Amino acid sequence: MTKSRTIYLVDDDEAIRKSAGFMLRTSGFTVHAYGSGSEFLKTASTLETGCVLLDVRMPGLDGLQVQAALRARGIAMPVVVLTGHGDVAIAVQAMKAGAIDFIEKPFEKAVLLDAITRGFCRINDADSKAVEEANAQVRLALLTPREREILDGLAQGYPNKTIAYDLGISSRTVEVHRASLMQKLSAHSLSDVLRIAFAAGVGRQTAG
C-alpha cells in the first residue's frame, strides 16, 4: 500500500503558505494550501488521508474550531498545530484534543518535518499510539512527585510563575524541577514535554 505524502496546510498568512508550501514540496510532499478553516472544511470529508498543518489564530474559524469540526465529522487525520508566540495555552488545548504536536512560528525545517513524520506514522501504523503511550508511561515513572506536580501544571498550560504560586514554591525552584523533568523525559522543548505527558494520559478526564 502506498504511504500518504499529502499535506493540508491551513493558514491565513499567505507568506506562510508560500514559504512552508515550497519547503514541503521540495521535501517530497504533495501540498494543498487553504487560506481559512472554512475553506478547508468544505472539502475535508472528500480528501485523501494526509497530515493537517493547522494555524491556531485565523479569522472566522480558529484552529481549535477546525480541529473540533474534523473530529465531529469523524475525519481522523493527524493535526500539527502552528502557533505564534503567546499561544502556548491554546496549543495545549489542541494537544489535549488530539493534535500530534504544536510548533511555534517561525519554525525550523527539521522540527516541522519531525512532527509531520510522527503524523504519518500515526496514519500508517494503527499500533503507534499504543506504543507511544507505553513509552510515555515508562518515562513518567522516572519523575519525582514534585516533578509530576510541575508537569501537571505545564499540562494545564500554566506558566512557571502560576505553578510556583499554586505549589507555594519559588519560580526558580520550578525552573530547576522543570529542567530536571525535561532531562529525564529526554525532552528538548515544551512541546516534547506536553506530547509525552498527553500520550501518558496526564490531564485526561477520569470518571468518578
Side-chain angles (χ1 to χ4, degrees), residues 82-135:
L82 307 178
T83 78
H85 294 298
D87 289 337
V88 171
I90 299 174
V92 167
Q93 293 181 51
M95 290 186 71
K96 282 186 176 181
I100 295 291
D101 207 343
F102 78 88
I103 300 175
E104 288 192 83
K105 303 175 185 176
F107 41 75
E108 296 179 10
K109 178 179 179 179
V111 173
L112 181 60
L113 292 180
D114 176 68
I116 289 171
T117 297
R118 282 186 275 110
F120 282 119
C121 284
R122 184 73 60 86
I123 294 173
N124 296 317
D125 182 1
D127 295 326
S128 65
K129 192 168 184 178
V131 171
E132 188 177 354
E133 180 174 352
N135 289 338

Side-chain angles (χ1 to χ4, degrees), residues 28-192:
F29 296 98
T30 299
V31 181
H32 300 283
Y34 302 84
S36 70
S38 57
E39 181 188 351
F40 171 60
L41 289 174
K42 284 179 183 177
T43 58
S45 61
T46 66
L47 298 174
E48 172 192 2
T49 298
C51 186
V52 182
L53 300 185
L54 184 60
D55 187 31
V56 164
R57 292 191 183 275
M58 294 184 288
L61 295 176
D62 64 25
L64 293 178
Q65 291 172 317
V66 174
Q67 185 185 19
L70 290 173
R71 191 167 62 250
R73 298 177 189 186
I75 301 171
M77 288 192 275
V79 171
V80 175
V81 174
L82 307 178
T83 78
H85 294 298
D87 289 337
V88 171
I90 299 174
V92 167
Q93 293 181 51
M95 290 186 71
K96 282 186 176 181
I100 295 291
D101 207 343
F102 78 88
I103 300 175
E104 288 192 83
K105 303 175 185 176
F107 41 75
E108 296 179 10
K109 178 179 179 179
V111 173
L112 181 60
L113 292 180
D114 176 68
I116 289 171
T117 297
R118 282 186 275 110
F120 282 119
C121 284
R122 184 73 60 86
I123 294 173
N124 296 317
D125 182 1
D127 295 326
S128 65
K129 192 168 184 178
V131 171
E132 188 177 354
E133 180 174 352
N135 289 338
Q137 292 282 7
V138 169
R139 292 189 189 187
L140 258 62
L142 300 173
L143 302 184
T144 65
R146 177 63 87 189
E147 288 166 350
R148 271 302 301 263
E149 289 178 329
I150 305 294
L151 181 64
D152 289 342
L154 295 173
Q156 295 298 321
Y158 297 153
N160 286 358
K161 287 183 179 180
T162 302
I163 295 172
Y165 179 82
D166 288 346
L167 297 180
I169 57 180
S170 70
S171 292
R172 176 58 185 157
T173 301
V174 172
E175 290 173 7
V176 171
H177 285 302
R178 179 168 170 168
S180 176
L181 72 87
M182 287 184 69
Q183 183 176 29
K184 289 180 180 180
L185 297 178
S186 299
H188 303 291
S189 66
L190 177 59
S191 65
D192 286 344

